[in-house]
Amino acid sequence: EDKVVQSPLSLVVHEGDTVTLNCSYEVTNFRSLLWYKQEKKAPTFLFMLTSSGIEKKSGRLSSILDKKELFSILNITATQTGDSAIYLCAPSLNSGGYQKVTFGTGTKLQVIP
Amino acid sequence: ETGVTQTPRHLVMGMTNKKSLKCEQHLGHNAMYWYKQSAKKPLELMFVYSLEERVENNSVPSRFSPECPNSSHLFLHLHTLQPEDSALYLCASSRDRLAGLETQYFGPGTRLLVL
């Protein structure tokens, strides 16, 4: 059975802090690992990671994958109140001609002024 | 705006009602998905359609009935729901290509409340 564990479950930080969100996974036919940000409704895509050790960056956010240890982290530097959201980790795999994505429960981040 | 739209955005229904959720994607994708998101639980995959054929059904109760008339439209027909079915229902789509590394694009969701 596919398994995704995110930690911490929730986190409260002050503006300007740096946070690291963790994701460990166990899936078959692994293809890529996706990070999403979910504020009020639908998740919005952040990163797709396919290779180990290559950091992806987008502004203050960055992420890296370790395919040997089945682990990924999402870093947010100089946090802002607009970063408050649930961050979802989702390994994807190929299954029967489509992409199957399994989501973790997410890390709820709250950034206070 | 992700190119995936859902209607209605909010729905309140009684347990004896029949309603349908609609999803439409304008991205030229070939696979569409229904997810359920309940409070404090991970997103749960309900149904997957690839090239208009259902390829996965994660043991969803029969009171949820999907329909995919073409690659751009996906419906979720609801009947005799239970209060525990109250949740956010999300539709997503993706390119259906094994060689490609694609992401799923989500619609805004339908917030369903069953009384």
Side-chain angles (χ1 to χ4, degrees):
Chain A
E1 187 180 329
D2 299 332
K3 187 176 174 185
V4 184
V5 178
Q6 289 187 247
S7 63
L9 290 179
S10 65
L11 191 57
V12 180
V13 301
H14 288 95
E15 271 192 314
D17 288 350
T18 294
V19 297
T20 298
L21 310 182
N22 306 297
C23 173
S24 64
Y25 62 91
E26 292 177 32
V27 300
T28 54
N29 299 321
F30 175 82
R31 187 73 186 184
S32 62
L33 189 122
L34 312 173
W35 281 98
Y36 289 87
K37 177 182 181 183
Q38 185 172 25
E39 292 177 85
K40 290 185 179 176
K41 286 280 181 82
T44 54
F45 171 71
L46 294 176
F47 295 110
M48 177 169 65
L49 304 161
T50 56
S51 302
S52 279
I54 298 175
E55 186 184 50
K56 290 218 170 179
K57 292 198 73 167
S58 177
R60 296 176 293 101
L61 277 65
S62 64
S63 185
I64 197 162
L65 174 67
D66 185 334
K67 289 167 76 172
K68 184 178 176 185
E69 298 298 326
L70 308 182
F71 191 82
S72 176
I73 60 171
L74 175 69
N75 280 319
I76 309 174
T77 59
T79 51
Q80 301 171 358
T81 54
D83 295 327
S84 297
I86 296 173
Y87 290 84
L88 298 168
C89 164
S92 78
L93 52 104
N94 288 315
S95 175
Y98 71 95
Q99 177 191 223
K100 179 178 176 180
V101 180
T102 302
F103 287 86
T105 51
T107 292
K108 185 176 182 180
L109 174 65
Q110 185 180 356
V111 182
I112 54 179
Chain B
E1 192 68 35
T2 63
V4 182
T5 58
Q6 288 186 243
T7 55
R9 298 291 296 272
H10 300 272
L11 178 62
V12 180
M13 59 188 289
M15 289 191 283
T16 58
N17 293 155
K18 287 186 181 181
K19 297 285 184 184
S20 294
L21 310 185
K22 180 182 176 182
C23 176
E24 185 173 357
Q25 57 96 0
H26 312 277
L27 302 168
H29 288 169
N30 289 320
M32 296 185 77
Y33 312 76
W34 278 118
Y35 286 91
K36 175 184 178 183
Q37 188 172 37
S38 306
K40 299 182 181 178
K41 291 177 72 175
L43 277 173
E44 301 170 59
L45 179 64
M46 298 176 74
F47 300 104
V48 181
Y49 277 83
S50 176
L51 298 174
E52 300 157 46
E53 285 190 53
R54 190 159 74 193
V55 298
E56 178 150 331
N57 172 352
N58 279 10
S59 302
V60 176
S62 59
R63 55 186 184 269
F64 295 93
S65 174
E67 179 190 0
C68 187
N70 55 62
S71 59
S72 299
H73 294 87
L74 183 66
F75 294 91
L76 187 63
H77 303 300
L78 316 171
H79 63 98
T80 59
L81 294 192
Q82 304 297 311
E84 60 264 28
D85 296 323
S86 299
L88 179 68
Y89 289 85
L90 292 164
C91 172
S93 71
S94 71
R95 296 274 292 274
D96 181 28
R97 209 173 52 175
L98 276 175
L101 300 173
E102 304 287 350
T103 63
Q104 294 186 1
Y105 292 81
F106 284 85
T110 295
R111 176 70 64 185
L112 173 67
L113 177 62
V114 181
L115 301 176

